[in-house]
Every structure is written in structure tokens, then in C-alpha cells.
Amino acid sequence: MTSEPPGPAADGRQDRILTVPNVLSVLRLIGVPVLLWLLLVERADGWAFTLLIVSGFTDFLDGKLARLLDQYSRLGALLDPFVDRLYLVATILGLLVRGILPWPFVVVLIGRELVLAAVLPIYKRRELPLPEVIYLGKAATFALMSALPWLLAGQMDWALAGFSRAFGWAFLIWGTAAYVWTGVLYLGKAVAVARAIPAVPQGSRIET
């Protein structure tokens, strides 16, 4: 996944928009409504499965390319995790509507996102950057995004349907546990910041 490099770039490269990783993120973003159309309208599970696999691969690829090509950017640091979460939420809701994913998992996963979204103003009011991404959180997201296509594949009429369901459920359980745990860690960091650092008064904030 694309992330900010350590330290500010003196040559303004962090402000670039047209980079290979950002193009990949935009293509993944366009794929979200296509995925929902395939899942809920066409019921084209094979194509939906393929799109999820391709999306997961390009998510992995854009981070590698950002490092290889030295194409970090502020836009990429915001866009990549946003698209990750959008894909995750869209896929979860699509599989819920299809009856493939049980609703308790949906409540837990969506609830985790809502709780973390609610604490973002803590950093904004203190003019602080968001906390660094926890590596376990990346692994949890990867596990979930691996589980969902295999759960979908388990509904298809093919020789590996049973294996796909078992594989998907194993990744779903592990990924959900790690996802919730990292959510607790992020929440703890936000609470610690709120207690230790006072909010910047509105009148003294610097507009950017």
C-alpha cells in the first residue's frame, strides 16, 4: 500500500498527482461500482471473483511501485487506504445482500470502521497527522480481502468449491480478529492523544 516516506520531500515530489501508483488506485476506485453491478445485478460471480483478485494484486503492486519508482505522494497516501476501505465495505455489503456473508461479521467489520472514523476529529482538532499504519492492520486487511473472493468462489459450481469455502472462512475468522484488535490499538492511540494534547482553539488554527 502507498504510504508517506519518512521526512518531507524537499523537491515537492509528495505533491505529485499523476503517478503510476495513483493511476492504479483510481482504476481500483472505478472498479467498485463495477463489482457491485457484477455481484448484485448480473450475478456474474466468476467475473466478480476475477475483479477482486485483480484489485488485490494491484493494491499490492502500487505500494511496490511507489517504492521502486520513488513515486510517493500525499494523494497516494490518502487515496490508497480510502480505496482499500471502500472495496472492503462494498464487498462486505454485496456478499451480505447475496446471503454469502453472515451479518454478525458485517456488523463487527463495519462497526470498526465507524468507530475509527469517529475519532479522526481528535487528530484534526489538534492539527496532528494521523497515526502510522499498523503492520498487523495491513495484514488483517489483506486476509479479509483474500477471504471475500474465496467465499464467493465457494458458491460457484466448480471442483474447488469446498476448498474455497474452507479457505475463505479461515482467512475471514483470522482477518476479522486481527482487524478488530488493530482497531482497538488505533482507538487507544486516539484516546491517549486526546488526554495528553489539548485541542487547538479554532481562532488560532492555521488555514491551509
Side-chain angles (χ1 to χ4, degrees), residues 1-121:
M1 296 181 187
T2 306
S3 58
E4 290 283 359
D11 57 2
R13 287 177 296 171
Q14 289 188 5
D15 294 324
R16 291 178 300 183
I17 295 177
L18 188 59
T19 66
V20 174
N22 288 349
V23 170
L24 290 177
S25 292
V26 170
L27 290 176
R28 289 172 54 228
L29 181 62
I30 295 171
V32 173
V34 176
L35 173 66
L36 291 174
W37 178 72
L38 291 172
L39 278 176
L40 303 178
V41 179
E42 291 295 315
R43 301 280 180 122
D45 292 346
W47 285 108
F49 172 81
T50 301
L51 180 56
L52 284 171
I53 295 298
V54 171
S55 173
F57 176 73
T58 54
D59 180 33
F60 167 80
L61 186 62
D62 71 5
K64 292 295 183 182
L65 289 175
R67 289 186 288 272
L68 182 64
L69 302 175
D70 190 23
Q71 290 189 345
Y72 292 99
S73 67
R74 290 191 177 91
L75 176 62
L78 296 173
L79 185 61
D80 184 62
F82 170 75
V83 176
D84 285 345
R85 283 169 172 75
L86 190 60
Y87 248 106
L88 183 62
V89 170
T91 309
I92 286 171
L93 293 178
L95 296 186
L96 173 66
V97 173
R98 288 283 303 276
I100 298 172
L101 193 63
W103 66 264
F105 281 93
V106 177
V107 170
V108 169
L109 294 173
I110 300 296
R112 188 258 199 193
E113 293 301 316
L114 293 176
V115 169
L116 293 188
V119 303
L120 292 181

